[in-house]
Amino acid sequence: RWVLNMGKDIVAGGRNVAHKHRKGPKTDNVYIRLLVKLYEFLVRRTGSEFCRAVLKRLIMSRTNRPAMGLARIQRFMAPKAGAEDRSKKIAVIVGSVTDDVRLTGFEFPAMTICALRVTEGARARIEAAGGKVMTLDQLAQVAPTGEGTVLMRGRRTTRESAKHFGTPGQIGSTAVPFVRSKGNKFEQARLRRSKPRTKVKAIKK
């Protein structure tokens, strides 16, 4: 006798096919794990949206925590007409802060920067201008709710791999093809040739 198996009963709510998101950090770095515990406490006790955003970024992967250069930070913190003055505020970056050699020879303003990591060159330039470098646990003592801070982050699409996302050669696409080198001897994507390299003529018999 054959028994028909109609499948497995699914619990109430159905299969969870939504986008997954992290509940905690994947890293084994003790410092980052302690920061996550600290900002989980601050979110629970203060309800601050700033702390919630910092916590979410601490849990992110390194790809989603891109580094940020001093030139970009300076541009974002510069005073603008009709906007609030950011000169006295703390720039907060949940990621690395790197030096920018293009700032050499130019005046760098004194500012307070809080980051997960600061390179030696960036730290030297900030302190030489009379600025200050803070850690995220020090920020929690100074501004537990994020008052007087400017939260910013670097661009996630500056990676080399991001240039190849998409379909090279498709109309409207700016994706870069994977090729060995540039030149008329190497492969090129469609619609990217300035002119046909070779023309095949029909042979008359």
Side-chain angles (χ1 to χ4, degrees):
R1 183 182 293 179
W2 296 94
V3 178
L4 295 176
N5 187 2
M6 298 301 292
K8 182 180 177 182
D9 287 338
I10 300 175
V11 295
R15 289 172 56 240
N16 184 14
V17 293
H19 292 291
K20 307 300 187 294
H21 61 277
R22 289 187 177 186
K23 300 290 193 300
K26 297 271 188 179
T27 180
D28 294 328
N29 189 316
V30 179
Y31 178 62
I32 292 180
R33 285 188 169 274
L34 286 173
L35 284 176
V36 168
K37 283 191 173 186
L38 171 62
Y39 277 89
E40 279 177 345
F41 172 80
L42 290 174
V43 168
R44 189 169 65 248
R45 295 300 293 269
T46 65
S48 169
E49 288 300 322
F50 169 82
C51 294
R52 199 181 304 277
V54 170
L55 174 63
K56 184 178 180 181
R57 294 183 190 186
L58 282 170
I59 294 173
M60 286 180 179
S61 62
R62 288 182 63 185
T63 304
N64 293 313
R65 287 190 281 110
M68 199 168 184
L70 285 179
R72 187 176 289 271
I73 296 173
Q74 179 186 359
R75 190 163 73 246
F76 287 160
M77 297 295 287
K80 296 182 178 64
E84 61 177 349
D85 185 21
R86 293 182 171 182
S87 59
K88 302 297 181 183
K89 294 196 173 185
I90 303 172
V92 182
I93 300 96
V94 186
S96 300
V97 172
T98 57
D99 191 19
D100 200 324
V101 295
R102 295 173 296 182
L103 294 173
T104 305
F106 294 93
E107 184 181 354
F108 187 76
M111 62 177 69
T112 305
I113 296 177
C114 173
L116 203 57
R117 175 179 164 271
V118 181
T119 62
E120 291 183 6
R123 186 183 297 272
R125 194 182 296 275
I126 293 166
E127 292 176 350
K132 183 182 176 183
V133 177
M134 296 174 61
T135 58
L136 286 169
D137 50 307
Q138 290 172 339
L139 179 69
Q141 295 176 325
V142 177
T145 59
E147 187 177 358
T149 60
V150 180
L151 185 62
M152 57 184 73
R153 61 180 166 186
R155 294 174 61 189
R156 287 186 288 186
T157 56
T158 52
R159 293 189 303 147
E160 169 62 27
S161 59
K163 298 176 183 178
H164 302 282
F165 294 162
T167 307
Q170 193 175 32
I171 295 175
S173 172
T174 57
V176 179
F178 288 103
V179 294
R180 291 176 296 163
S181 184
K182 289 184 179 180
N184 60 353
K185 297 191 298 182
F186 303 99
E187 63 269 34
Q188 288 186 328
R190 293 169 300 179
L191 305 178
R192 288 182 176 269
R193 305 181 185 93
S194 58
K195 61 181 180 179
R197 300 297 178 185
T198 56
K199 292 183 179 180
V200 179
K201 295 182 179 179
I203 301 174
K204 294 181 180 180
K205 293 184 180 180

